[in-house]
Amino acid sequence: MLAEQFTDPVAFHGEGPVWSDSWGGLRWVDMFAGDILSLDGDTVNRRNVGPFVATLRPRQSGGAVIALERGFALEDAAGELTRLDQLWNIAGMRMNEGGCDPHGRFYCGSMAWDQRARAGSLYRLDGDGRVTVVQDDLTISNGLEWSPDGSLAYYNDTRTGRVAVFDYDEEFGLTGLRTFAEIPAEAGYPDGLTVDSEGCVWVALYAGGAVRRYTPDGTLDGVVEVGAHRVTACTFGGPRLDRLFITTSREDLVPGEDPLAGSLFVADVGVTGRAVREFAG
């Protein structure tokens, strides 16, 4: 299956697509520009929230929770932005990717700007504003999403070349990290991911030009080819959540190389996603 180009190359490093009816559709980020992008019909709108933005999720109260370079910000229903206290003051570290658990808590993983090994951590933001480190020794934290029943959380530390899975419950959080599926080096690097209504895991392959679908037992079940090499993330959207939106990047490319990189792509894959889990704060 081949994804269709949906926009022009509008992003330098497109990431983190999220569909929410409360937003009126799709949002994603142009990470190193600090811009949140949104669709209005065929028009792409931009809102700058600073020099860098990692990812975002809708809030139950309206607006969004947003991961910035060194911490979090809250957008209210009117669009007003409140930045929370920075989590660190040292240079060389930034947030990268995250998601909300079934109990409305927002997680985001950090990484080193130079991608040095085991420098990052996974942080959890609770609805009352408390922040907890739930995992250490991570390198490039990506792709956190839960199974339909909420008992599992799928996660990519990109440099490991694998899709991993945690057990999850409200009291103990994320436990039992283990391999879910191995990604061959020639196929690319596991980046963002999403989970469909059947419990299958869709994994974006950076430097692989594709999104792969894995069944709940870790078996490769399908491939969506993308017309750009650096595929970063994917999510289900549309009124029936039956379209797979895919972001791509122009990072480290020379002018004229991979001309569709930075575009948003879409594929009709014959299954539906699930409504995004929202932050309870």
Side-chain angles (χ1 to χ4, degrees):
M1 179 181 294
L2 182 64
E4 298 178 3
Q5 185 184 9
F6 194 80
T7 71
D8 291 335
V10 294
F12 176 76
H13 188 66
E15 269 281 11
V18 183
W19 182 281
S20 174
D21 289 338
S22 67
W23 294 336
L26 188 73
R27 292 187 183 182
W28 71 108
V29 303
D30 191 353
M31 184 178 280
F32 304 137
D35 289 345
I36 296 173
L37 282 59
S38 60
L39 284 178
D40 182 6
D42 294 331
T43 302
V44 177
N45 297 315
R46 287 179 174 266
R47 180 190 181 189
N48 184 264
V49 294
F52 176 91
V53 58
T55 193
L56 74 163
R57 288 294 185 274
R59 296 173 69 188
Q60 294 175 8
S61 58
V65 57
I66 304 168
L68 303 174
E69 182 177 5
R70 298 184 182 182
F72 304 111
L74 299 177
E75 176 197 59
D76 66 19
E80 186 74 21
L81 201 66
T82 300
R83 289 170 171 81
L84 306 184
D85 292 341
Q86 290 189 358
L87 299 179
W88 60 83
N89 292 312
I90 59 172
M93 298 293 298
R94 65 172 176 86
M95 287 295 196
N96 197 53
E97 180 62 285
C100 286
D101 72 22
H103 298 92
R105 301 174 294 192
F106 180 63
Y107 297 69
C108 194
S110 66
M111 60 175 285
W113 277 101
D114 63 5
Q115 301 184 11
R116 67 185 179 274
R118 304 178 68 179
S121 300
L122 184 62
Y123 294 84
R124 187 188 74 211
L125 174 65
D126 292 357
D128 61 6
R130 289 180 298 174
V131 178
T132 305
V133 177
V134 299
Q135 193 83 10
D136 281 318
D137 298 325
L138 305 174
T139 301
I140 304 177
S141 195
N142 264 308
L144 186 62
E145 185 58 84
W146 275 256
S147 60
D149 68 1
S151 67
L152 300 172
Y154 298 96
Y155 172 78
N156 293 335
D157 188 349
T158 296
R159 282 287 182 87
T160 66
R162 69 172 185 170
V163 182
V165 61
F166 291 97
D167 296 311
Y168 171 80
D169 69 23
E170 182 177 13
E171 180 180 359
F172 296 106
L174 300 172
T175 59
L177 181 66
R178 58 197 181 274
T179 297
F180 171 71
E182 297 281 358
I183 306 294
E186 64 271 15
Y189 302 96
D191 202 321
L193 62 79
T194 193
V195 179
D196 65 29
S197 59
E198 298 176 356
C200 295
V201 183
W202 298 76
V203 183
L205 297 179
Y206 192 86
V211 177
R212 287 186 167 195
R213 184 189 198 229
Y214 291 88
T215 61
D217 66 359
T219 300
L220 178 62
D221 184 56
V223 178
V224 178
E225 297 180 357
V226 181
H229 198 50
R230 287 164 165 76
V231 180
T232 55
C234 56
T235 196
F236 283 92
R240 295 179 295 278
L241 297 178
D242 59 354
R243 311 198 78 193
L244 188 70
F245 289 91
I246 303 164
T247 52
T248 63
S249 174
R250 299 201 304 265
E251 186 180 16
D252 296 327
L253 297 177
V254 300
E257 184 182 5
D258 201 2
L260 300 186
S263 303
L264 180 72
F265 291 79
V266 67
D268 296 317
V269 293
V271 296
T272 60
R274 301 167 299 107
V276 64
R277 291 186 168 101
E278 299 179 331
F279 177 57

